[in-house]
């Protein structure tokens, strides 16, 4: 057994010596890294629809690598913000995948219509359509055929949405913006029985960020602030989540 382990260890060392993969050397690879930054700086950014956010992010969400976490209390408008960003991306020609574990795609679409053409959402939600709205629906794809897919759990085998499924969809359909409207509803393929929610969410975000870098798409992740948020106050005395609440 000792001879076998010695033999295997030597073979492993030989195999490692043949591996040319190394981390980037900022000195030795100076020209390479400068060229990479120049190349990435020319890639299009995805406008979010919010001028202040776009200004802070050099024009919008990066298509090189981007993981944006949106944290807020319940019923504070997270999904509305996400749909605004999705609508803006689609309008500028970036294909979108929106994972909606709670609201059905058709109803979520009314929010898209409200952002796009300012139709009253309370009327659309009840099926009260004007002639202008019917014409808008008829011409929507003609004016801009860029897809905005809304994924529900029912669309996936076993109602299980995980990162490998999202990744395959991104690769197949050229998605440039992924919105995860509820991280808690996703399945973590790396979790083991007894793992904490923290480990689950950490794994999911790591895998989504890796996907972002591999396929050049931005990812927005929605996280609901925990109950402890009520004890955190802003300068006006209103509950305001902090970094602790993200964990």
């Amino acid at each position: 057994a000792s001879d076998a382990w010695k033999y295997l260890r030597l073979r492993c060392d030989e195999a490692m010596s043949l591996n040319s993969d190394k981390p980037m050397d900022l000195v030795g690879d100076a020209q390479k890294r400068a060229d990479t930054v120049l190349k990435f700086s020319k890639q299009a950014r995805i406008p979010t629809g919010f001028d202040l956010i776009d200004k802070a992010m050099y024009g919008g969400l990066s298509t090189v690598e981007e993981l944006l976490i949106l944290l807020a209390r319940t019923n504070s408008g997270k999904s509305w913000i996400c749909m605004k960003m999705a609508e803006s991306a689609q309008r500028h020609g970036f294909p979108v995948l929106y994972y909606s574990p709670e609201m059905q795609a058709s109803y979520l679409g009314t929010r898209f219509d409200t952002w796009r053409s300012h139709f009253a959402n309370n009327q659309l939600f009840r099926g009260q359509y004007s002639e202008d709205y019917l014409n808008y629906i008829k011409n929507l794809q003609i004016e801009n055929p860029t897809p905005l897919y809304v994924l529900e759990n029912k669309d996936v085998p076993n109602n299980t949405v995980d990162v490998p499924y999202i990744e395959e969809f991104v690769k197949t359909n050229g998605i440039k913006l992924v919105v995860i409207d509820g991280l808690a509803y996703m399945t973590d393929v790396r979790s083991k029985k007894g793992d904490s929610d923290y480990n689950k969410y950490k794994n999911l975000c790591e895998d989504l960020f890796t996907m972002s870098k591999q396929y050049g798409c931005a990812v927005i992740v929605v996280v609901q602030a925990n109950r402890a948020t009520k004890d955190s106050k802003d300068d006006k005395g209103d509950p305001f989540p902090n970094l602790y609440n993200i964990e």
Side-chain angles (χ1 to χ4, degrees):
S2 297
D3 290 342
W5 278 116
K6 181 179 179 180
Y7 173 82
L8 290 172
R9 187 171 64 250
L10 289 173
R11 299 294 81 76
C12 288
D13 291 342
E14 289 176 2
M16 287 300 295
S17 68
L18 298 174
N19 183 10
S20 61
D21 293 336
K22 294 181 180 179
M24 176 175 282
D25 174 7
L26 294 184
V27 178
D29 297 324
Q31 187 61 55
K32 178 181 178 181
R33 62 180 173 83
D35 291 343
T36 299
V37 172
L38 183 62
K39 174 186 174 182
F40 286 165
S41 70
K42 296 178 180 179
Q43 290 191 219
R45 286 183 172 265
I46 305 173
T48 64
F50 299 97
D51 292 340
L52 289 176
I53 296 178
D54 289 344
K55 183 178 179 181
M57 301 183 75
Y58 309 108
L61 302 171
S62 171
T63 54
V64 176
E65 57 179 29
E66 193 80 81
L67 179 68
L68 176 67
I69 296 179
L70 182 63
L71 173 76
R73 291 293 304 274
T74 305
N75 296 324
S76 56
K78 297 185 295 294
S79 295
W80 275 101
I81 295 296
C82 286
M83 181 48 71
K84 176 60 177 176
M85 293 183 177
E87 182 273 332
S88 177
Q90 188 277 340
R91 178 160 37 92
H92 287 88
F94 297 94
V96 180
L97 174 62
Y98 191 118
Y99 171 48
S100 177
E102 295 181 334
M103 183 175 286
Q104 292 187 35
S106 296
Y107 284 112
L108 191 62
T110 67
R111 295 184 176 186
F112 173 89
D113 300 332
T114 295
W115 281 123
R116 175 59 55 89
S117 295
H118 308 293
F119 294 105
N121 192 258
N122 60 347
Q123 294 181 7
L124 300 185
F125 204 80
R126 293 177 290 167
Q128 298 178 356
Y129 300 156
S130 65
E131 192 67 30
D132 286 343
Y133 180 73
L134 294 175
N135 289 330
Y136 155 84
I137 289 293
K138 182 179 179 180
N139 295 317
L140 185 59
Q141 186 177 21
I142 299 174
E143 294 176 357
N144 187 344
T146 302
L148 196 168
Y149 300 101
V150 176
L151 175 68
E152 301 178 55
N153 287 78
K154 67 177 180 60
D155 300 324
V156 183
N158 300 319
N159 296 322
T160 300
V161 174
D162 53 30
V163 175
Y165 182 89
I166 297 286
E167 184 174 323
E168 184 62 30
F169 195 96
V170 166
K171 179 174 64 174
T172 303
N173 297 279
I175 301 298
K176 286 301 176 183
L177 175 62
V178 176
V179 179
I180 306 296
D181 193 359
L183 191 67
Y185 291 90
M186 287 191 66
T187 298
D188 173 28
V189 295
R190 291 199 279 149
S191 282
K192 300 177 182 178
K193 187 175 181 179
D195 280 358
S196 65
D197 285 342
Y198 172 78
N199 285 333
K200 169 188 173 182
Y201 301 151
K202 180 174 179 290
N203 290 342
L204 287 170
C205 285
E206 285 178 353
D207 293 345
L208 287 167
F209 189 42
T210 299
M211 179 191 73
S212 169
K213 291 190 284 188
Q214 183 173 358
Y215 295 103
C217 62
V219 180
I220 300 173
V221 173
V222 173
V223 180
Q224 186 167 298
N226 57 31
R227 293 174 183 269
T229 311
K230 68 181 189 302
D231 298 323
S232 304
K233 310 288 184 179
D234 62 13
D235 55 0
K236 296 181 181 179
D238 295 325
F240 188 80
N242 57 35
L243 292 178
Y244 173 79
N245 300 123
I246 290 181
E247 181 177 278

